[in-house]
């Protein structure tokens, strides 16, 4: 059977028509609800960021943005759900720093974080605090450092589970001060903090969203924050950097991705909506109340955020592998 041969002119016209059709589809986007997948259960800090962001983006997209919680396996189930979704802009991922640490924490991932998803932009970063049980003997970070190094065989470091922000911060601390402690994983942050307040564990490094009220209420001892500058919400708590722990800046950043193959015009439209959302007064106020800071402008855009994520994957790999802690 012979098929008719297209002339170069006809072929060019066909390709042009297809391109115009794709451009028209992207220009019309979105025409229905956009699904924002959060790979954790409802009620946590990432879920809160997502819900506030969804509302802010709705204003510029002109369509509802619905948050879908798809928790499990440290976030990998939700991330994989988006990686396998149709690349049409109607399924987006809102994930935190775990996106960059998963390649080292998990022996095998069902997706490739560098190729299966496309970055839309960074959103916010939540600082962390180093806190200890209320009766911990050290009065400041210098004394804390001396005490834990002298008693490292007796010290235990709580975390909210392997891969949690508190786990990562603990690994980084041990790497920086060149001391290993017994880590005690809990099912979540609430359980870890309860054990800390009760004196069952010695110290913890976790997000300000979880620790600020405990610090202000005097229920735990605070030894430092992990940012370059002091936090307006905790002005009396010095940074670990100013107390001599150099190059120890860590926060729980959040970002947005879409499946690979999503048309650039749609990625650009989502990026523009994200930029507007980050300037939205209500969103900005809500994030400030959480202790979160908008990421630097360059990282809120696709290219800059992609570069940042790659650097974070590289940064965390040796820290996690040195600790030899993996999730199944």
């Amino acid at each position: 059977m012979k098929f008719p041969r297209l002339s170069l002119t006809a072929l060019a016209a066909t390709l042009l028509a297809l391109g115009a059709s794709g451009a028209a589809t992207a220009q019309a986007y979105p025409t229905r609800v956009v699904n924002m997948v959060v790979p954790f259960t409802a009620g946590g800090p990432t879920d809160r960021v997502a819900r506030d962001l969804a509302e802010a983006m709705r204003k510029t997209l002109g369509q509802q943005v619905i948050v879908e919680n798809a928790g499990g396996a440290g976030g990998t189930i939700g991330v994989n759900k988006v990686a396998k979704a149709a690349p049409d802009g109607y399924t987006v991922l809102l994930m935190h720093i775990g996106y960059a640490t998963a390649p080292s924490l998990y022996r095998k991932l069902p997706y490739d974080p560098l190729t299966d998803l496309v970055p839309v932009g960074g959103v916010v970063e939540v600082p962390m605090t180093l806190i200890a049980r209320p009766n911990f003997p050290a009065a400041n970070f210098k004394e804390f450092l001396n005490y834990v190094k002298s008693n490292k065989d007796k010290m235990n470091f709580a975390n909210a589970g392997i891969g949690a922000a508190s786990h990562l911060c603990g690994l980084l601390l041990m790497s920086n001060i060149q001391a290993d402690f017994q880590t005690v994983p809990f099912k979540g942050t609430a359980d870890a903090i309860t054990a800390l307040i009760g004196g069952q564990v010695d110290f913890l490094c976790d997000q300000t969203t979880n620790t600020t009220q405990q610090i202000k209420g005097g229920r735990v001892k605070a030894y430092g924050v992990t940012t370059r500058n002091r936090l307006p919400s905790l002005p009396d708590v010095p940074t670990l950097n100013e107390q001599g722990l150099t190059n120890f800046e860590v926060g729980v950043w959040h970002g947005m991705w879409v499946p690979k193959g999503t048309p650039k015009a749609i990625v650009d439209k989502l990026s523009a909506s994200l930029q507007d959302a980050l300037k939205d007064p209500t969103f900005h106020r809500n994030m400030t109340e959480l202790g979160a800071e908008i990421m630097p402008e360059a990282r809120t855009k696709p290219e800059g955020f992609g570069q940042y994520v790659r650097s974070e994957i590289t940064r965390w790999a040796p820290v996690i592998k040195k600790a030899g802690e993996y999730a199944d």
Side-chain angles (χ1 to χ4, degrees), residues 36 38 44-55 67 94 123-126 207 209 252 254-255 283 287 290 292:
M36 182 181 290
V38 174
T46 302
D47 179 68
R48 170 68 187 276
V49 170
R51 292 180 187 278
D52 287 338
L53 182 64
E55 174 59 24
V67 173
L94 197 288
V123 183
V124 294
E125 188 168 36
V126 182
Q207 302 175 65
T209 49
V252 182
H254 297 75
F283 178 76
M287 293 302 100
L290 277 179

Side-chain angles (χ1 to χ4, degrees), residues 2-209:
K2 292 184 177 181
F3 293 94
R5 296 178 64 185
L6 288 174
S7 67
L8 289 177
T9 302
L11 181 59
T14 301
L15 292 174
L16 184 62
L18 288 173
S21 174
T25 300
Q27 188 175 14
Y29 169 87
T31 58
R32 54 186 171 86
V33 170
V34 175
N35 223 37
M36 182 181 290
V37 175
V38 174
F40 304 103
T41 56
T46 302
D47 179 68
R48 170 68 187 276
V49 170
R51 292 180 187 278
D52 287 338
L53 182 64
E55 174 59 24
M57 290 184 69
R58 176 194 62 80
K59 299 175 184 177
T60 55
L61 286 176
Q63 291 287 342
Q64 290 291 327
V65 181
I66 304 298
V67 173
E68 176 190 349
N69 297 97
T76 59
I77 290 176
V79 176
N80 189 51
K81 178 183 178 71
V82 178
K84 302 299 190 289
D88 54 12
Y90 291 100
T91 304
V92 303
L93 171 70
L94 197 288
M95 176 56 164
H96 63 29
I97 188 174
Y99 188 92
T101 59
S104 297
L105 277 170
Y106 291 85
R107 291 183 173 86
K108 186 177 181 180
L109 289 174
Y111 60 88
D112 187 326
L114 294 176
T115 61
D116 288 349
L117 294 107
V118 175
V120 175
V123 183
V124 294
E125 188 168 36
V126 182
M128 305 192 77
T129 50
L130 177 64
I131 58 176
R133 53 184 164 84
N135 60 345
F136 202 83
N140 52 50
F141 179 69
K142 183 178 180 180
E143 290 184 10
F144 171 89
L145 206 55
N146 290 334
Y147 186 86
V148 297
K149 283 188 173 183
S150 300
N151 298 274
K152 59 183 179 181
D153 294 335
K154 303 174 184 177
M155 294 289 99
N156 52 58
F157 205 148
N159 65 60
I162 291 179
S166 51
H167 175 232
L168 300 173
C169 188
L171 294 183
L172 189 62
L173 178 66
M174 288 191 288
S175 176
N176 275 42
I177 66 176
Q178 298 181 344
D180 294 327
F181 308 110
Q182 176 67 40
T183 59
V184 183
F186 288 84
K187 291 183 179 180
T189 302
D191 291 340
I193 290 181
T194 298
L196 187 73
I197 293 173
Q200 283 84 48
V201 290
D202 294 309
F203 49 102
L204 168 72
C205 184
D206 205 6
Q207 302 175 65
T208 53
T209 49

